[in-house]
Amino acid sequence: MAFGFGKKNKNSSEESAANSAAASAETADEAQDSTQAPTALLNLPPDPADTAYDRAVHGPLDISEIENTDGYVDLGALMVTPQEGLSLRLEVEENTQRVIAVTLDLNGSSLQLQAFAASRSEPLWRDIREQIGLSVGSQGGEIEILDGTFGKEVLAKVPAQSDDGSKGFRVARFIGVDGPRWFLRGVLGGAAAVDGEAALALEDLFRGVVVIRGEVPLPPRDLLLLRLPKDAVTAAQAAAGPDMGPAQGGSPLERGPEITTIG
């Protein structure tokens, strides 16, 4: 499992949900081929394919809903299940040097994850879907509301220009799940945004996410704090030598693929 880093200039706390960051359609030039591991090996919840989707059963789960944390990659507010061929890219806010998102790259597609604080009684996903629509529309794009595994989804198309100058659309598929005092948003990019078969492995990874809300009071829509995995910090420091700066966002960290911001 590989780790990478990206940077983002804009401060993004409450605006992060409204001006949602779509996963970049670009992928690493040397993506690794991989075979999806069995669900049992990935420590995933049961597959909801033959039953009605129930978050507390099928995931993503709250930390209180799992028996132990063995086998997960610990990113602070989020824990994810590793998989062969999976690259994990952390997005660092340049002004504050905090980790604001994690993007999982697998088989030429990507899944960006962000978790937000929420109240006990008011789910966020419905309002955020509306805000995504307004933001995309302001850029000349369009959205489509779909029914997917996790309920309502947003398929967003934003005008874009390719490297050769031709015009087209950048497509991103937004999925969201309201949990106990948290909201988890995923953005599928690449083939997974438009191809259901290509999305299956990343949907499984989304279901396998565990959210750690914590007990600190936070306003709804505040980002839950992410951090580098301890093993990744050690490896990065060893590779960089004694001149490397702080582990979280320290220099020198190579600039990775950017999140494309809608809004």
Side-chain angles (χ1 to χ4, degrees):
M1 183 171 178
F3 294 89
F5 301 89
K7 291 186 179 180
K8 184 178 174 72
N9 292 322
K10 185 178 179 182
N11 284 329
S12 52
S13 55
E14 294 184 11
E15 293 182 358
S16 294
N19 299 331
S20 299
S24 172
E26 301 174 357
T27 57
D29 292 336
E30 298 180 354
Q32 300 181 29
D33 292 333
S34 64
T35 302
Q36 185 178 358
T39 296
L41 296 181
L42 291 179
N43 196 28
L44 296 176
D47 191 334
D50 298 327
T51 60
Y53 171 72
D54 180 349
R55 184 212 60 79
V57 174
H58 301 116
L61 301 175
D62 185 77
I63 185 65
S64 65
E65 296 168 331
I66 64 172
E67 295 182 359
N68 63 72
T69 60
D70 294 344
Y72 289 96
V73 178
D74 187 352
L75 300 169
L78 297 177
M79 296 193 302
V80 300
T81 51
Q83 181 174 343
E84 183 180 355
L86 179 69
S87 295
L88 188 152
R89 177 160 37 99
L90 299 170
E91 306 295 342
V92 180
E93 187 176 64
E94 193 165 357
N95 292 342
T96 64
Q97 299 300 301
R98 65 172 179 163
V99 180
I100 60 171
V102 56
T103 299
L104 309 179
D105 294 310
L106 182 66
N107 299 333
S109 295
S110 62
L111 169 65
Q112 186 206 71
L113 298 171
Q114 284 183 303
F116 302 86
S119 69
R120 296 182 184 276
S121 58
E122 295 184 11
L124 295 181
W125 185 215
R126 182 174 180 176
D127 288 344
I128 290 176
R129 291 199 305 267
E130 294 177 357
Q131 292 164 356
I132 292 171
L134 292 173
S135 181
V136 171
S138 71
Q139 299 178 71
E142 58 187 36
I143 69 165
E144 183 180 357
I145 303 296
L146 306 174
D147 288 312
T149 299
F150 307 98
K152 297 296 182 182
E153 303 177 353
V154 178
L155 185 68
K157 297 193 296 183
V158 179
Q161 184 169 310
S162 64
D163 294 338
D164 62 8
S166 60
K167 295 183 178 180
F169 289 91
R170 176 164 290 162
V171 181
R173 178 182 156 206
F174 290 77
I175 55 181
V177 170
D178 289 292
R181 297 174 57 238
W182 51 259
F183 168 72
L184 179 65
R185 195 215 60 199
V187 188
L188 292 161
V194 294
D195 185 339
E197 289 296 321
L200 288 177
L202 289 173
E203 287 182 352
D204 279 347
L205 287 171
F206 185 77
R207 293 194 301 108
V209 170
V210 174
V211 180
I212 305 174
R213 167 61 177 82
E215 299 303 322
V216 177
L218 292 171
R221 305 192 187 196
D222 263 19
L223 275 171
L224 300 184
L225 295 180
L226 299 172
R227 59 172 172 76
L228 305 181
K230 294 178 181 179
D231 291 344
V233 174
T234 302
Q237 289 173 333
D243 294 332
M244 182 176 179
Q248 182 162 315
S251 178
L253 291 179
E254 293 184 3
R255 193 178 185 87
E258 295 288 343
I259 301 177
T260 299
T261 301
I262 290 183

